[in-house]
Amino acid sequence: SAVISQKPSRDICQRGTSLTIQCQVDSQVTMMFWYRQQPGQSLTLIATANQGSEATYESGFVIDKFPISRPNLTFSTLTVSNMSPEDSSIYLCSAPRGVQETQYFGPGTRLLVL
Amino acid sequence: GESVGLHLPTLSVQEGDNSIINCAYSNSASDYFIWYKQESGKGPQFIIDIRSNMDKRQGQRVTVLLNKTVKHLSLQIAATQPGDSAVYFCAENKANRDDKIIFGKGTRLHILP
């Protein structure tokens, strides 16, 4: 199985500030994905982080609010900008790995915005 | 519209019994389905997957059944254990969505002692 790590594991932030979440994969992957999981709910895809090009955002998510970087094939960051309490969620990254391209997930970053 | 959803939000099963978690999907273009287990405070963990050219796949204590006629997916867990307590998500990948995985709503499985 893949090893995907995220930093920070959790944070408490003040509204109006921004937080950058890091995702590291233990080997090179073509695509990385960022998801949001609001309390008690399922995972919603935010965007696809493409290496060497801009991220591709899903409906309802915009680059100004969730800028993404993908500097190389093992690393990506997601920034939650100008945070409000509604941004309190778990943010997860994932990447397909292995012969079957199984999608593996990081442990998530638990964000609480006050 | 498109949806991958589950019929029951919570399922309670006696320890040692078998459990069945169901999932319905609406997009016949989906060709790959995955079950994930999410324990409290952790990210989703891959359990088992199945492609649309199959109707059954077995793993260790788990079986996934796919009925394309009625667009139904199920996860069977044999001889449930306390460690099986978690939220289970079905997810789908559409052939034209570049590995994007779309999640269903989730079912919380509670194992009774």
Side-chain angles (χ1 to χ4, degrees), chain A residues 31 33 35 37 42-43 45 48 58 92 96 100-103 105-107 110, chain B residues 32 36 38 41-44 46 49 51 89 97-101 103-105:
Chain A
M31 309 185 81
F33 301 92
Y35 288 80
Q37 186 176 25
S42 185
L43 283 75
L45 182 63
T48 303
E58 297 297 304
L92 301 114
Q100 300 298 325
E101 294 285 284
T102 303
Q103 193 90 232
F105 283 81
R110 282 146 187 81
Chain B
Y32 177 55
Y36 286 94
Q38 187 176 29
K42 297 182 180 180
F46 172 87
D49 59 2
R51 297 200 176 270
F89 294 98
R97 284 183 66 91
D98 298 327
D99 290 330
K100 295 178 184 178
I101 302 296
F103 278 73
K105 294 182 181 178

Side-chain angles (χ1 to χ4, degrees), chain B residues 14-53:
Chain B
Q14 203 74 39
E15 182 179 350
D17 287 352
N18 299 334
S19 64
I20 300 175
I21 302 172
N22 295 304
C23 178
Y25 66 96
S26 61
N27 192 324
S28 57
S30 296
D31 64 350
Y32 177 55
F33 303 88
I34 316 103
W35 281 100
Y36 286 94
K37 172 186 180 183
Q38 187 176 29
E39 297 175 279
S40 181
K42 297 182 180 180
Q45 175 188 359
F46 172 87
I47 302 173
I48 192 167
D49 59 2
I50 189 167
R51 297 200 176 270
S52 59
N53 61 349

Side-chain angles (χ1 to χ4, degrees), chain A residues 4-9 19 21-25 32-49 61 66 68 76-80 87-95 103-111, chain B residues 36-46 89 101 103:
Chain A
I4 302 178
S5 60
Q6 290 184 232
K7 288 183 186 178
S9 59
L19 176 72
I21 301 167
Q22 300 178 10
C23 180
Q24 179 76 52
V25 186
M32 295 177 72
F33 301 92
W34 286 98
Y35 288 80
R36 180 176 72 183
Q37 186 176 25
Q38 294 177 305
Q41 297 191 26
S42 185
L43 283 75
T44 301
L45 182 63
I46 298 173
T48 303
F61 297 96
F66 297 103
I68 287 172
S76 178
T77 68
L78 170 77
T79 298
V80 186
D87 294 320
S88 298
S89 287
I90 302 171
Y91 292 86
L92 301 114
C93 67
S94 72
Q103 193 90 232
Y104 289 98
F105 283 81
T109 295
R110 282 146 187 81
L111 172 61
Chain B
Y36 286 94
K37 172 186 180 183
Q38 187 176 29
E39 297 175 279
S40 181
K42 297 182 180 180
Q45 175 188 359
F46 172 87
F89 294 98
I101 302 296
F103 278 73

